[in-house]
Amino acid sequence: MRHMHLSRSFRLRLALFGIAVLFLVVVATSSMSLRTARVDLTADRIYTLTPGTQEIVDSLRKPLNLTLYFSEHATRDLPQLRSYEQRVHEMLREIAVRAHGRIRLRVIDPVPYSDDEDAAESYGLSPASGGSNGERVFFGLVGADGSGDVPPQAIPFFDPAREAFVEYDIAKLLYELGMPTKPRLGVISSLPVEGNLVIGEPAWAVVRQLDQLADVTTLDPSDLTHIDDALKVVLLVHPKHLSDDALYAIDQYVLRGGHLVVFVDPDAEMDNAPLIDSHGIVDDHDSDLRRLFEAWGVVYDPTKVVLDRSQALTIELNGNSVAHPAMLGLGPQDLNHDDVMTASLQRVNFSTAGFFELAPDTKARMVPLVQTSDEAAVVPAQRARDAASDPASLLENYEPTHERYVLAARLRDTFRTAFPERQEKGHLANAAAPGEVVLVADTDLLSDRLWIDVQPLLGQQQLTPFANNGDFVANIVDNLGGSTALLSIRGRVNSQRPFTKVRALQAAADRKFLVKKRELENELYETQRRLAELQPVKNAATPTTPTAEQRREVEQYLQRKLAIGKELRDVQHQLNAEIDALGLRLKFINIVLVPGIVALIGLIYGWRRTRRSRRVV
């Protein structure tokens, strides 16, 4: 019996040793063979690359070096930024894994006064203030072509406000590193956007800015019969009196998958054409693309201008400051922050703009980029022109429609031709795939006066932007000028998981507070009005003293004010109680209920095994 006992003990030790060896072998094997394996268990799959990013990474032909500069020490007291850095780092690791060795990723902590800090600044990274001990915080990405043929590209700072577009920004950097030349851009315009060298008039600032982003080619609309497919983007600015051949060229360019940006205007203030030419033809300085708009299902009226008294810009006129309801300063609440074209913008200025709608029978989709507030109104364009010297007259009989009008938008559809009767060689009746056109109902936003302040400095012009009009146009070209894979990358959800139930409780309480606040303000106004009626006329000879009725009114007001204050406190206490109760429920579930269920399952399982073992014996 003793011999059998030792044998069993020896076999048990041998089995344990074998399990330990097997465990080490499995760990070593998995670390080698499953190094690139990942499982994204997040609800919104925020760590899974979109097909567009995968396509860009797969198309890389040359090795790239990516360097993430993150101030590890300076952010030890900034948990939100550190959490965001973890997401960015994980996404970069996922991209590096996808590249199969074509992307080398490094992470550097640029400590103060180091060579790494100097290198980060030399690449154009923008440090933020507010780090530990007053240190600057670097959080940017630098990408370099391994062969050195393409200049380094950088994301100056990963702003948490742009977290939804972090994948787009990284994919765009990779695309630009893999693209050796600038995209080609075509401009068709009846406005003097190129300036006039003869009289020393420079090109508009937005055009000079586009020259830095793309290879710009000017197309003459008078003899336009074809648009080269090599043009990645075409800007059509203020189309007037276009021939059928020119319209057909634009139509076919869109159907072939070209990216078109249309700027139309019911009143182009920069249009220098005579209002009445030598033949007696009247020019209202408006523009339209009626035939193509009708084929695309777009409704646009070149005789209507949008006013918005809540977003009116203040201008100087005859030495006075005047609110101009046809000149609009549209802020963050009016811009689509779910779209990469407008996500990072703060203000875009429009002037005498029109608006777009969709025809009832169209299948196209319109994604608004810029909208008015619900205080907007629509007036004839001629009235806006007549009010140029007296903008305040536009506020007379002002009746808001309580609608938000679309001033700029993406139009998405599988487009059909506006010229079905044409039978030229290569004619397309329908697009082969869904396409996109960007529509803007204003041309004045391109002019310098609406977004650039020009000041002379040391014999040169100092350009100081006061609005994001130039950034808006650059974002449009930047987005459309990339690959179709880049266009397919949309905004992602934020990795921060908000307490939606708590926010709902907060919102409900805020509504209660708002009602009480209005009640208090209305009662205060009524009491003050009543006191004013009871107040006797003052004069120097007879000083006034409060009457008994006034004292009663004041006492009643004070008592009511205290009562409303108590009700406000009760609402706040109720809110806190609901949030605290919710917190206790969550703590009970996470700390007591779930572990208790797991422990109970374990006990039941152990009890059943014990019973089974006893039966076997």
Side-chain angles (χ1 to χ4, degrees):
M1 293 294 293
R2 182 175 180 80
H3 175 73
M4 290 296 294
H5 177 70
L6 292 175
S7 177
R8 185 180 301 173
S9 175
F10 176 77
R11 286 199 303 268
L12 179 60
R13 292 193 185 98
L14 186 63
L16 291 174
F17 178 75
I19 292 173
V21 172
L22 181 62
F23 174 76
L24 294 175
V25 170
V26 170
V27 170
T29 304
S30 63
S31 65
M32 296 296 294
S33 61
L34 302 179
R35 183 181 301 174
T36 61
R38 284 171 169 77
V39 179
D40 188 353
L41 299 178
T42 57
D44 300 296
R45 303 188 67 79
I46 61 175
Y47 296 106
T48 300
L49 301 180
T50 61
T53 302
Q54 294 175 7
E55 182 179 337
I56 290 174
V57 174
D58 293 343
S59 65
L60 295 174
R61 294 294 175 262
K62 294 183 292 186
L64 301 179
N65 296 321
L66 297 182
T67 305
L68 177 64
Y69 287 90
F70 181 69
S71 301
E72 179 74 24
H73 182 268
T75 58
R76 63 179 185 273
D77 297 326
L78 301 173
Q80 184 176 0
L81 196 61
R82 294 176 70 89
S83 175
Y84 184 34
E85 186 273 339
Q86 183 179 4
R87 181 186 178 184
V88 173
H89 192 181
E90 288 295 332
M91 182 165 289
L92 290 171
R93 286 179 57 193
E94 192 71 20
I95 289 173
V97 168
R98 177 81 186 188
H100 300 293
R102 294 191 303 274
I103 292 180
R104 178 172 175 249
L105 176 63
R106 292 189 305 159
V107 180
I108 293 178
D109 180 6
V111 297
Y113 310 109
S114 66
D115 293 340
D116 291 332
E117 184 184 52
D118 295 338
E121 289 187 303
S122 68
Y123 286 124
L125 300 192
S126 304
S129 58
S132 302
N133 300 324
E135 296 179 17
R136 297 187 302 170
V137 175
F138 286 87
F139 184 20
L141 181 68
V142 176
D145 180 3
S147 61
D149 296 335
V150 181
Q153 303 287 334
I155 298 176
F157 192 85
F158 283 105
D159 186 354
R162 281 185 61 85
E163 182 178 0
F165 302 99
V166 62
E167 183 179 2
Y168 175 87
D169 292 338
I170 295 173
K172 175 175 171 290
L173 181 141
L174 296 177
Y175 174 76
E176 291 177 346
L177 287 172
M179 181 182 60
T181 58
K182 293 181 180 180
R184 292 188 58 191
L185 169 68
V187 177
I188 307 171
S189 177
S190 62
L191 298 178
V193 296
E194 297 284 349
N196 191 332
L197 296 178
V198 176
I199 61 176
E201 182 178 304
W204 292 6
V206 69
V207 174
R208 300 200 299 272
Q209 179 176 285
L210 291 177
D211 279 328
Q212 300 174 2
L213 297 175
D215 181 8
V216 180
T217 301
T218 302
L219 304 178
D220 186 356
S222 62
D223 59 0
L224 183 64
T225 58
H226 178 76
I227 298 178
D228 190 350
D229 290 342
L231 295 175
K232 301 285 286 185
V233 184
V234 171
L235 301 187
L236 179 59
V237 182
H238 201 43
K240 294 171 54 178
H241 315 303
L242 293 180
S243 66
D244 285 346
D245 287 341
L247 290 172
Y248 181 67
I250 298 169
D251 172 89
Q252 293 295 294
Y253 173 76
V254 171
L255 295 185
R256 293 195 303 270
H259 299 125
L260 180 69
V261 186
V262 181
F263 294 86
V264 290
D265 202 328
D267 180 23
E269 298 166 37
M270 302 305 293
D271 191 341
N272 54 15
L275 293 174
I276 302 178
D277 64 13
S278 58
H279 300 287
I281 298 177
V282 177
D283 188 339
D284 287 334
H285 291 176
D286 60 347
S287 55
D288 195 1
L289 206 60
R290 184 178 302 277
R291 186 162 184 174
L292 297 186
F293 282 169
E294 289 177 353
W296 297 343
V298 175
V299 177
Y300 164 77
D301 189 344
T303 66
K304 297 294 178 64
V305 166
V306 178
L307 309 180
D308 192 342
R309 62 187 179 187
S310 68
Q311 308 293 23
L313 287 175
T314 301
I315 64 171
E316 294 293 327
L317 187 65
N318 300 325
N320 298 317
S321 296
V322 181
H324 198 319
M327 297 183 68
L328 312 180
L330 302 167
Q333 69 277 10
D334 310 308
L335 307 176
N336 183 355
H337 281 262
D338 293 326
D339 193 288
V340 69
M341 290 183 181
T342 48
S344 58
L345 306 183
Q346 297 299 315
R347 187 183 190 88
V348 180
N349 292 338
F350 284 69
S351 183
T352 57
F355 62 96
F356 299 108
E357 294 177 310
L358 285 177
D361 57 345
T362 185
K363 295 181 180 179
R365 284 187 59 230
M366 183 177 288
V367 180
L369 297 174
V370 184
Q371 295 177 281
T372 65
S373 74
D374 57 5
E375 284 289 304
V378 175
V379 299
Q382 187 57 48
R383 184 181 172 191
R385 284 190 284 268
D386 294 340
S389 59
D390 184 17
S393 64
L394 294 172
L395 294 173
E396 296 177 3
N397 302 319
Y398 188 98
E399 295 183 4
T401 59
H402 304 295
E403 294 183 23
R404 301 190 69 189
Y405 294 94
V406 177
L407 307 185
R410 292 183 191 256
L411 181 71
R412 294 171 179 157
D413 195 10
T414 302
F415 295 107
R416 299 183 299 275
T417 183
F419 296 86
E421 73 283 0
R422 292 261 190 161
Q423 298 298 326
E424 283 86 342
K425 182 180 178 181
H427 169 79
L428 294 177
N430 298 281
E436 182 171 275
V437 173
V438 174
L439 306 175
V440 184
D442 187 35
T443 61
D444 300 305
L445 68 88
L446 302 173
S447 63
D448 296 358
R449 67 189 181 95
L450 281 186
W451 70 284
I452 284 284
D453 184 26
V454 181
Q455 296 289 340
L457 179 65
L458 300 176
Q460 296 183 347
Q461 289 185 337
Q462 175 79 14
L463 305 181
T464 305
F466 54 83
N468 298 122
N469 295 29
D471 297 327
F472 177 46
V473 178
N475 287 351
I476 293 174
V477 173
D478 204 19
N479 183 241
L480 297 182
S483 68
T484 54
L486 197 59
L487 281 175
S488 69
I489 303 173
R490 303 300 176 192
R492 306 289 291 271
V493 297
N494 197 300
S495 63
Q496 303 296 323
R497 309 298 295 180
F499 293 98
T500 53
K501 182 66 176 178
V502 173
R503 287 187 176 181
L505 294 175
Q506 181 73 56
D510 287 344
R511 287 193 293 271
K512 294 178 184 178
F513 272 114
L514 183 61
V515 171
K516 293 297 183 182
K517 180 181 178 182
R518 288 177 177 172
E519 179 183 346
L520 178 59
E521 290 175 344
N522 291 337
E523 200 158 341
L524 175 62
Y525 172 79
E526 182 63 26
T527 302
Q528 289 175 338
R529 185 189 64 80
R530 180 60 179 161
L531 287 174
E533 292 177 354
L534 296 174
Q535 182 74 30
V537 179
K538 295 182 179 181
N539 55 64
T542 58
T544 60
T545 57
T547 64
E549 186 176 359
Q550 285 180 308
R551 286 194 295 271
R552 284 195 300 272
E553 287 280 353
V554 171
E555 185 66 25
Q556 291 176 4
Y557 162 66
L558 292 175
Q559 291 177 358
R560 182 55 187 154
K561 182 179 178 181
L562 291 174
I564 292 178
K566 183 177 182 302
E567 292 176 15
L568 287 173
R569 288 191 298 273
D570 291 341
V571 172
Q572 183 65 58
H573 291 327
Q574 183 179 358
L575 168 68
N576 294 337
E578 291 176 355
I579 293 177
D580 291 342
L582 177 61
L584 288 175
R585 289 197 298 270
L586 292 176
K587 289 178 181 178
F588 175 78
I589 292 172
N590 291 329
I591 299 174
V592 178
L593 184 60
V594 173
I597 292 174
V598 174
L600 180 61
I601 293 173
L603 290 173
I604 294 174
Y605 178 74
W607 174 71
R608 294 186 62 182
R609 282 197 62 182
T610 303
R611 285 192 60 185
R612 193 180 298 116
S613 299
R614 289 176 179 175
R615 288 176 182 175
V616 171
V617 174

